[in-house]
Amino acid sequence: MTQSNMAHWVAGGLIILAVVFGLIGSSTTVMAARNSGVRIEKSTTIKADKRALKAATLNGKGLSLAWRAVIDHKLKLLKNLKKTISREQGTVYTIHQAKQLVGKINKLNKKYRHKLKQLKKRKDPADIHYAVYYDSDGTVAFMREHVKRVGNRTYIRGIQEHNGVFHKFGGHGAGFTVG
């Protein structure tokens, strides 16, 4: 082999190496972009699951104020969240993280089922009315109203629950005249 042929081979080899390394460099850029997309998707999934857990969580005071429909809905939310976490285990959550979340869900489930048993034993008075409101964004609000009629006046006081937050309304002087 002559020196000119050898120079062509070396030059051709260098070009091939440059192309290969260029492709490898661009493929690592593509892989980095994919990984950042996966991180963003993973982050949004974790945030959505945290919001769902927060919406399904009642503190001690909220649990004491809750009624059957609210607790049934919270149990349904917890069941769906548990399915989601088991499906996302290994991709979004590590095994340890998934166990921790499922442990929290099971603890809430146990408290809610106990409260539901207590509520099923009680009878509701006839002057208590319940309502459920479904928002277009998929959230649900519950309302319990105590209606009291005195003469031609009706007094309403009640509690509204939305995403684990309770708001009281009405009371003395908040009545209206029935015509």
Side-chain angles (χ1 to χ4, degrees):
M1 203 180 262
T2 63
Q3 270 189 337
S4 65
N5 282 344
M6 204 156 159
H8 285 302
W9 279 99
V10 170
L14 288 176
I15 291 172
I16 290 172
L17 285 176
V19 169
V20 167
F21 283 120
L23 288 176
I24 290 173
S26 67
S27 70
T28 55
T29 306
V30 169
M31 290 299 287
R34 279 190 193 148
N35 287 341
S36 71
V38 168
R39 275 194 307 261
I40 291 169
E41 185 176 317
K42 186 176 176 180
S43 166
T44 55
T45 303
I46 290 172
K47 286 179 184 176
D49 290 346
K50 282 184 180 180
R51 278 192 305 270
L53 184 60
K54 185 177 179 183
T57 302
L58 293 172
N59 60 15
K61 185 177 180 182
L63 191 59
S64 68
L65 293 173
W67 52 95
R68 286 184 209 166
V70 173
I71 293 177
D72 281 337
H73 180 70
K74 301 298 181 187
L75 285 169
K76 182 178 155 187
L77 290 176
L78 289 174
K79 181 180 176 183
N80 290 338
L81 184 60
K82 194 172 180 179
K83 284 181 185 177
T84 302
I85 289 171
S86 68
R87 188 175 53 245
E88 294 169 346
Q89 184 178 344
T91 56
V92 176
Y93 297 106
T94 63
I95 293 172
H96 180 70
Q97 290 170 329
K99 278 185 180 180
Q100 282 183 323
L101 286 170
V102 168
K104 286 180 185 179
I105 290 170
N106 288 339
K107 193 174 179 181
L108 288 172
N109 228 339
K110 186 177 178 182
K111 284 175 25 179
Y112 295 171
R113 293 216 181 271
H114 179 72
K115 177 68 175 183
L116 197 59
K117 277 184 184 178
Q118 289 176 340
L119 289 174
K120 286 184 178 179
K121 291 177 184 177
R122 281 195 242 158
K123 274 276 215 196
D124 286 334
D127 57 352
I128 298 216
H129 303 281
Y130 297 96
V132 180
Y133 301 98
Y134 299 96
D135 292 336
S136 59
D137 63 354
T139 59
V140 181
F142 297 91
M143 193 175 302
R144 177 176 65 192
E145 300 172 335
H146 179 240
V147 180
K148 182 179 179 182
R149 291 185 174 84
V150 179
N152 67 342
R153 305 218 9 118
T154 302
Y155 298 95
I156 299 174
R157 53 186 172 110
I159 299 174
Q160 179 185 13
E161 187 277 338
H162 188 274
N163 286 337
V165 179
F166 289 85
H167 299 283
K168 292 184 178 183
F169 61 89
H172 182 70
F176 56 91
T177 305
V178 177

